[in-house]
Amino acid sequence: MELSILRDPVRKVVEKIVERGAEFADIRIESAEGTYLELENGVVKTSRSGAESGASIRVLYRGCWGFSTASSLNIEDIEKAFEDAYRAARSLATVSRCNRRVVKLDP
């Protein structure tokens, strides 16, 4: 999958979360390919290969972090993961004083 096609849909999801009060939101996407071989007495018994993709989401709300993951790169799954992370951060902020912040550093 060409990851650049996710840029605009994910940006819209982040904008919605920020409009609802999040101070920060981000996504980290991982994609991996692998091959599995099972040997028995030096002979290949089973082999298979494949690819997996997923995403981890962070949302900062009133100084509290919320985290979630998506096990696919389907935009609906990513949007749900952002919502879950937002709800987790918001829930924590209602019962705890958090003081985390994101600081932008110049390169």
Side-chain angles (χ1 to χ4, degrees):
M1 168 185 249
E2 178 60 42
L3 296 179
S4 62
I5 65 171
L6 290 173
R7 183 171 288 129
D8 288 338
V10 168
R11 182 174 285 131
K12 289 177 184 174
V13 172
V14 170
E15 288 170 356
K16 286 181 195 176
I17 294 293
V18 170
E19 286 172 5
R20 292 168 57 195
E23 301 158 49
F24 177 85
D26 77 349
I27 181 172
R28 294 171 189 231
I29 294 174
E30 183 175 324
S31 185
E33 295 181 18
T35 301
Y36 170 81
L37 296 173
E38 182 179 345
L39 302 174
E40 188 173 294
N41 297 321
V43 177
V44 176
K45 184 177 176 183
T46 306
S47 70
R48 63 179 174 260
S49 62
E52 294 182 1
S53 299
S56 59
I57 311 295
R58 297 185 303 173
V59 172
L60 184 65
Y61 180 86
R62 293 187 183 171
C64 297
W65 284 110
F67 301 92
S68 188
T69 60
S71 59
S72 81
L73 297 182
N74 177 305
I75 192 61
E76 289 82 14
D77 292 342
I78 290 172
E79 189 168 5
K80 181 184 180 312
F82 268 106
E83 182 64 30
D84 291 346
Y86 172 78
R87 286 183 182 165
R90 190 182 66 195
S91 293
L92 184 57
T94 63
V95 296
S96 179
R97 279 189 55 154
C98 304
N99 60 358
R100 306 297 183 253
R101 61 190 173 116
V102 174
V103 178
K104 184 176 181 179
L105 301 175
D106 292 327

